[in-house]
Amino acid sequence: MWSIDRKKTEADNINALMQRLKVRGLPRNYELFYEALYGAQDELRKDITALGVGPGQVLIDEVGLKHRLPGFWGHRAEQAAANQSRVIRSLSEHIGLASTGKTNFLRSLETVTGALDGATEDEARAIIAQAAFLGEALSDVTRFEQQLVEKLEKGLEQLDAGDRFRERAAEATLRDRLTSLPNRAALQRKLADAYDGATVPQDMALIIADVDGFALFNRTYGASAGNRVLKQLGTIFRKAVKKDDFAARSGGDEFAFILHDVSKEDAVGIAARLRTQVEDNLIFASEMVGPPLTLSFGLAMTANAPSPAHLRAQAEAALAAARANERTPVVAFGPDIARANMRNSVA
């Protein structure tokens, strides 16, 4: 319930701000304002403030692209793909016209050649005089083919540029700019791939970690201090997970991990070690400006979750339980949490 209530409050705040600034309610705009309000990106907040009231979508898109937000790069990638399709259609049309022109010329040439067979000398001269148009037609065909070559070269350059942009967009849509970890979209894809089979994956854990009191820390000591903490966390987590496991920044101060071939007890132990590593290595990033930061961890096992949505909801519920009791900073989802959620839902 804590997670649901928090997300509802965030959504209400974002919608209110977008309405006040007269920004269209597009999904990518919502993502932009979410990152501005809850993503600890001071430069992004400054850029949005500079837009003022009623900014055009083009300007908003420029800000989103500048800060490498997945929704904006994905939208631009769709535009690039559509442009590539238009280029291909245009090239196909020009190739078709060139082929038609050459075919018509050859037919005319065959007609003249056939008429010359068996013609007298006077008839031949008359036919050749009337066929002077073939020279003009040949010039037209040659000129059109030259134009086609130029269009093909330009079109291929556009297609190559589109491919390069789409590669950059794919990278941007799956990578968090601040920490260089995979982002929320990459996490969702990873979970979807894990469940893309006939059976529910076994021995796999999803862990969600949240920085305790990070919003207050950020307001008190500034976004630059918060960004330093998040970058350091990204470095710690990137080095902490095994090669076959997965770590991502899934929200403003939220990180997620996918662990393979583990039991619930293994996953709890790994989460506890991650928390210890943070406490041991984050001191220089946080204590320089304020008190040391701690993390809460919630985890769920795929064996008990029939879908990625269930798995994520269970891990979020476990995280809420961990945040509610500082004596148990690492909590695994189980029947007790399920019953508590059921009671809260009924209440």
Side-chain angles (χ1 to χ4, degrees):
M1 287 298 295
W2 171 86
S3 177
I4 295 174
D5 291 342
R6 185 184 71 166
K7 292 184 183 301
K8 183 178 184 303
T9 300
E10 291 175 352
D12 290 343
N13 292 340
I14 293 167
N15 288 328
L17 181 57
M18 289 174 61
Q19 290 176 12
R20 188 162 66 249
L21 296 180
K22 299 180 180 179
V23 172
R24 294 172 62 190
L26 301 175
R28 65 182 186 276
N29 292 348
Y30 182 91
E31 177 189 5
L32 179 72
F33 279 83
Y34 174 85
E35 292 296 337
L37 290 178
Y38 302 104
Q41 296 194 39
D42 192 42
E43 286 299 318
L44 175 56
R45 280 191 284 270
K46 291 179 181 177
D47 287 342
I48 288 180
T49 301
L51 290 175
V53 178
Q57 189 60 44
V58 172
L59 294 177
I60 295 174
D61 286 346
E62 288 178 359
V63 173
L65 289 171
K66 173 185 174 182
H67 292 274
R68 299 175 64 84
L69 297 183
F72 290 86
W73 280 81
H75 174 71
R76 186 59 63 87
E78 291 176 359
Q79 291 181 320
N83 182 62
Q84 285 184 303
S85 297
R86 286 193 294 270
V87 169
I88 292 172
R89 286 197 300 271
S90 177
L91 292 177
S92 177
E93 291 171 0
H94 279 84
I95 292 172
L97 289 173
S99 178
T100 299
K102 181 173 286 188
T103 299
N104 291 338
F105 170 76
L106 292 175
R107 286 176 179 172
S108 299
L109 184 60
E110 289 175 358
T111 300
V112 171
T113 303
L116 287 172
D117 289 343
T120 64
E121 185 176 340
D122 290 339
E123 289 174 339
R125 280 197 295 269
I127 292 172
I128 292 173
Q130 293 176 1
F133 72 89
L134 287 176
E136 297 178 3
L138 180 58
S139 297
D140 290 342
V141 170
T142 303
R143 184 172 60 254
F144 198 87
E145 287 188 337
Q146 180 60 38
Q147 292 175 351
L148 177 61
V149 170
E150 294 173 357
K151 287 183 179 294
L152 284 172
E153 291 176 349
K154 183 177 180 180
L156 290 174
E157 290 177 359
Q158 290 176 309
L159 293 176
D160 287 342
D163 286 339
R164 289 193 298 272
F165 183 87
R166 292 171 70 182
E167 290 175 1
R168 291 171 57 203
E171 174 66 18
T173 57
L174 298 175
R175 185 71 53 181
D176 175 57
R177 183 186 182 192
L178 183 64
T179 64
S180 296
L181 288 174
N183 61 12
R184 183 169 54 249
L187 172 67
Q188 292 170 342
R189 178 178 294 187
K190 198 79 172 177
L191 290 174
D193 289 344
Y195 276 84
D196 187 20
T199 60
V200 172
Q202 300 296 306
D203 300 325
M204 191 177 102
L206 171 65
I207 300 176
I208 301 179
D210 192 277
V211 182
D212 300 324
F214 186 75
L216 177 61
F217 179 92
N218 221 31
R219 289 195 300 270
T220 304
Y221 302 104
S224 60
N227 286 346
R228 186 166 66 250
V229 168
L230 293 173
K231 288 179 181 178
Q232 184 68 8
L233 281 171
T235 300
I236 294 171
F237 292 148
R238 186 165 50 250
K239 295 178 179 178
V241 297
K242 294 189 302 182
K243 181 179 178 181
D244 295 335
D245 293 332
F246 179 84
R249 182 188 177 201
S250 53
D253 61 333
E254 184 181 275
F255 294 82
F257 309 86
I258 296 176
L259 308 180
H260 297 276
D261 300 321
V262 293
S263 65
K264 180 187 287 189
E265 292 72 20
D266 293 334
V268 170
I270 291 171
R273 287 197 295 273
L274 286 172
R275 190 171 190 270
T276 300
Q277 284 182 284
V278 169
E279 292 177 347
D280 291 343
N281 294 283
L282 200 60
I283 182 170
F284 295 111
S286 61
E287 284 195 343
M288 287 177 64
V289 293
L293 292 169
T294 59
L295 274 74
S296 297
F297 290 79
L299 68 91
M301 302 299 298
T302 51
N304 303 316
S307 71
H310 284 85
L311 184 68
R312 182 68 185 261
Q314 291 176 6
E316 290 276 7
L319 175 62
R323 289 178 60 91
N325 186 353
E326 62 181 17
R327 290 176 297 180
T328 56
V330 177
V331 174
F333 184 84
D336 53 338
I337 297 177
R339 287 192 296 269
N341 279 357
M342 182 66 68
R343 288 194 298 270
N344 290 333
S345 298
V346 173

